Structure formats: C-alpha cells, structure tokens
Amino acid sequence: MSLDVRTVTASDYPDWLRAVQNGFLTAGSPAEDDVADRLAATDLTRLQGAFDAGRCVATFRSFAQRLTVVGGATVPADAITGVTVAPTHRRRGLLSRMMATDLAAARERGEVVATLIAAEYPIYGRFGFGPATWTAEWEVSVHRAGLDPRRSGQPEDGGRIEMVDGADVRKYGPELHARLAALRPGVVSRSERWWRRHTGTTVIPAHEKWTEPFYVIHRDADGEVDGLLVYGTDDKWGDAKQPLNTATVRDLIAVTPAAERALWHFLCSVDWITTVRSGYRAPDDLLPQLLPDPRAARTVTHADWLWLRILDVERALEARTYESEASLVLDVRDEGGVAQGRFLLDVSPEGARCTPTTRSADLALGAGELAALYLGDESARRLADLGRAEELRTGAAGTADAIFRTGRRPWCPDIF
C-alpha cells in the first residue's frame, strides 16, 4: 500500500503524538490530558504525517516564531520541530516530501527564515539549512572557583538577589526575555504557554519527570528586575557526610553584566552545592571569566545549536544591521530552492538594501553557508578556506566578514 503523506487531523493527533514519542525514544502511548493540552496549542494546518495502512510512521510540525537578528529587529520564522521517521520507513523520501511542503507554505505565508534545533548534524544541510548559532556548557567546581566562601551571596554593588516562585517568573519573565531578545541575535520568541510549561502550571508529560526548580531574580540598585535564574539540584552526599550536590541551570537571563555576575556568584555560594552545571550557554558566555579561577569551569559541551534556512534573501539581509559601509554581490546557490540568485547587498550603519542583480559576483556560497553567516557567527574567510564558499573577487571574504560578523556571538537559549 502506498504511503499517505498529508496534513494531520484532530482524530489523527494521538497516533501522530505516539509516533513522535517513538521517534524520540520515549516509547508508550501519551496520556489523554497530555494529548488534549498539546492539541489545544497546535495549529493542525502546520502538522504533517505519513501514514501506512492508517498508522502514523513519520511526523513533521512547524509553528510561528520570531527570530531576533543583528541589531535587535525580529523576523517571522517558520519553526520546525517534531520531525521523526519510524525506523521501519527510513530512506523513502518522507522527510524530503514533508520539508518541501512546509518550506513552500512558509514562503507563501511570508516567513523570512526557517529555524530548527538539529538532533543530528548531517540531516538538514541538504535542505539549505546551516548552523547559525552554537552552544556550550560548563561544569564548575565550586571549591576551585576562588570565590570567597565568606560571601553572603548578595551582590556588593547595591543590587539584590531574591528567591521567588513560579508566579513571579510568569510576571517578570516575559518582559525580561523581550529585553534579552533586543540585545542578542539568535534569541527566539517564547509564548505565554512556554512560561506556564516551564513553571509547572500546565500538563507535563510523564517522561519529562518534572520537579519544581528554584527561582531567583536579580534587582539592580533601583529595584528593577534585570536577571532571572532557574535551577534544580540533586541530593548527593559522600561517605564522610560531606555534601556533593550539583546545581543545574535550567534558565538564566541577564540583561546587564552586573546581573549576570551576581547570579552566577550567587549560585556558586549556595550551601551544599559543590558543582554547578551551566546549562546550554553561548560559546562566548562570560561565566568562566567571572570566576577568580576560570579553570574551575570545565567545558563539557560545545556543539551546533540553532539551524537556519533563508527563505527570502532580500528581506532577511535588509532586516539586520551592519556596522560598516560596503557593497557585495553574493551568488547564492540553492538548487531548486527559494534562495537561489545573485544579489547586490549595499550596507551602511544607516541601513541596508538587497536587490537581484546581473553584476559579476564577489562571493559564491550555498544557502546553508549564507544562513551560517547571517547572525554573525561564521566567518566567510573560514568558509572559503573550507571550500564551502568561493571568493570570486580578491578580498570579498574579508569584506563579508567586516559587515556580517558581530562583537558577541549569537545565542539561542531555547530548544523547541
């Protein structure tokens, strides 16, 4: 029987969700309350499934998202998630069919980019995606960090640390996150449901094993909330009745360096905590250098994170800002894709203009390579040295780096 690839209906949804759980190795049938809660927040027109004899064997979902680009503006994004193919139905082109359908619909809706978090590196490059942000995680040995153990945990600059509850996080968090988004390219939008889910006030699937975390805010000297920390702990003690507890950060938002310093120093001062796991942070996070002994922070993860696919080259390149003035002709290679073409990019600190052109190209690169450059993280010179971009005019890679790269690396705090 031929496979039926189509939009998912409400009656299909429990089977579709079961296929997602199987794909992500959380086998079992989802609970009824979980199905109902998820379905209420799902746009079924953006849900696809492949069905074999009526059983769902592949899944694909997208939803509306906003992505912060360089300069603080946001662009509409097609956020892709829930992508699975059953091991019995691999290598049949199911992902390719669903991806093509979704990207065409996203372009039709006017979304500028598509985004996703890749579970495995090799999958999405063939669809024109490139890694636009990377992430790092540190494990801090508190005893080696060099912080004064006599500290109270409160900052010494007039700011204040407060322990709060989930209701406070839902009150302060959205505005604080919006301030972060205005400062950091790569940040994606969080819905009201996101805040409820991450403070335990909506249905949590059993396999996620929710435990209530600790919530902390930082106020500056004027009393304004400028930082948020959410962390969990284990309960581990050594044979000699010595505490060996680890605190793991679930979320840390700081919109000032002072707030960031205060929150990390606070966490490293909590009694019984001997190890701190940072959670996924930007690779250039301040954390290691905020410690008197940066070697106390050991890198345990460094990997690609947010993958990006440009759907509208002109709108995308005009949406972000540039710190210098230059002109560059880009030959974007996207066989059969929406980013294919040659574009003249004129930029200055006052703005940018991107238009199709027949002029000779300065730099040739694929759609995925353009995506990697877009938020300022990748180097055109590096891509050329890797053979993934071609410098058609001497110095073009240097020009691209001068206009695209940013002082701080882009960062996406979320998984979706």
Side-chain angles (χ1 to χ4, degrees):
M1 184 177 295
S2 63
L3 293 169
D4 181 19
V5 180
R6 58 175 171 81
T7 302
V8 171
T9 66
S11 61
D12 295 324
Y13 187 72
D15 187 35
W16 183 93
L17 189 55
R18 175 200 54 76
V20 171
Q21 291 190 183
N22 287 346
F24 287 102
L25 302 183
T26 54
S29 298
E32 289 186 10
D33 58 350
D34 183 28
V35 172
D37 181 70
R38 290 174 183 251
L39 181 57
T42 297
D43 181 353
L44 289 174
T45 67
R46 300 178 68 150
L47 217 65
Q48 297 181 73
F51 295 83
D52 188 353
R55 186 175 183 82
C56 189
V57 296
T59 63
F60 192 109
R61 176 185 169 224
S62 70
F63 62 94
Q65 184 185 73
R66 303 292 300 190
L67 170 71
T68 301
V69 301
V70 179
T74 65
V75 297
D78 176 51
I80 295 169
T81 187
V83 177
T84 73
V85 177
T88 54
H89 288 72
R90 297 170 64 233
R91 303 293 183 263
R92 302 192 192 185
L94 296 179
L95 173 56
S96 296
R97 290 171 64 182
M98 293 187 293
M99 181 69 78
T101 297
D102 182 79
L103 294 183
R107 171 79 178 192
E108 184 69 21
R109 286 189 297 265
E111 287 158 341
V112 174
V113 299
T115 59
L116 56 84
I117 307 293
E120 295 185 73
Y121 194 98
I123 297 175
Y124 294 100
R126 68 182 188 271
F127 301 116
F129 286 82
T133 79
W134 290 67
T135 194
E137 183 178 16
W138 287 270
E139 182 176 277
V140 178
S141 173
V142 172
H143 292 156
R144 287 192 54 199
L147 295 169
D148 187 344
R150 297 169 297 179
R151 296 180 64 253
S152 68
Q154 290 290 350
E156 300 174 355
D157 59 0
R160 181 169 181 80
I161 296 286
E162 297 177 11
M163 302 288 290
V164 296
D165 59 23
D168 293 305
V169 172
R170 294 189 294 277
K171 175 183 177 181
Y172 297 116
E175 182 181 357
L176 191 61
H177 182 266
R179 291 173 63 190
L180 175 70
L183 296 170
R184 200 71 181 255
V187 173
V188 297
S189 53
R190 291 179 175 178
S191 66
E192 185 269 340
R193 184 175 184 273
W194 188 100
W195 291 100
R196 288 191 291 109
R197 186 176 181 82
H198 287 80
T199 52
T201 59
T202 189
V203 177
I204 307 296
H207 67 267
E208 294 190 11
K209 300 177 182 177
W210 167 263
T211 56
E212 188 77 16
F214 298 94
Y215 305 105
V216 175
I217 61 171
H218 177 268
R219 295 183 185 273
D220 65 16
D222 296 324
E224 183 178 15
V225 176
D226 59 359
L228 167 68
L229 167 65
V230 181
Y231 67 95
T233 63
D234 59 10
D235 184 18
K236 186 177 180 181
W237 291 74
D239 293 335
K241 203 181 177 184
Q242 293 295 315
L244 299 172
N245 294 290
T246 296
T248 300
V249 173
R250 298 188 189 181
D251 197 16
L252 192 153
I253 298 173
V255 296
T256 67
E260 189 167 356
R261 178 188 300 271
L263 290 172
W264 285 122
H265 283 189
F266 164 81
L267 189 56
C268 290
S269 73
V270 176
D271 288 341
W272 298 359
I273 299 299
T274 59
T275 303
V276 169
R277 296 278 297 210
S278 71
Y280 291 146
R281 310 292 300 168
D284 63 345
D285 197 87
L286 301 182
L287 171 60
Q289 300 298 325
L290 290 176
L291 304 175
D293 184 354
R295 292 185 185 180
R298 177 175 65 93
T299 302
V300 292
T301 301
H302 181 268
D304 56 285
W305 193 244
L306 182 74
W307 285 61
L308 197 65
R309 209 273 190 229
I310 305 292
L311 299 175
D312 188 324
V313 174
E314 295 161 66
R315 288 175 63 199
L317 295 185
E318 290 180 352
R320 58 158 287 172
T321 59
Y322 304 86
E323 293 188 358
S324 58
E325 186 172 347
S327 290
L328 194 66
V329 178
L330 299 172
D331 184 7
V332 182
R333 297 167 181 174
D334 187 22
E335 186 175 351
V338 296
Q340 177 80 22
R342 188 172 299 173
F343 302 91
L344 171 61
L345 177 63
D346 288 311
V347 305
S348 74
E350 286 70 47
R353 178 72 172 159
C354 182
T355 55
T357 185
T358 57
R359 284 174 44 176
S360 298
D362 300 317
L363 187 69
L365 70 173
E369 284 66 42
L370 179 62
L373 288 176
Y374 180 57
L375 296 180
D377 200 46
E378 187 55 271
S379 159
R381 177 73 270 158
R382 186 167 179 267
L383 291 175
D385 290 345
L386 287 167
R388 293 170 50 195
E390 184 180 1
E391 193 176 44
L392 303 174
R393 174 183 59 80
T394 301
T399 300
D401 283 342
I403 63 175
F404 277 103
R405 302 209 77 180
T406 55
R408 292 293 302 275
R409 297 181 69 173
W411 176 49
C412 179
D414 295 325
I415 189 169
F416 53 88

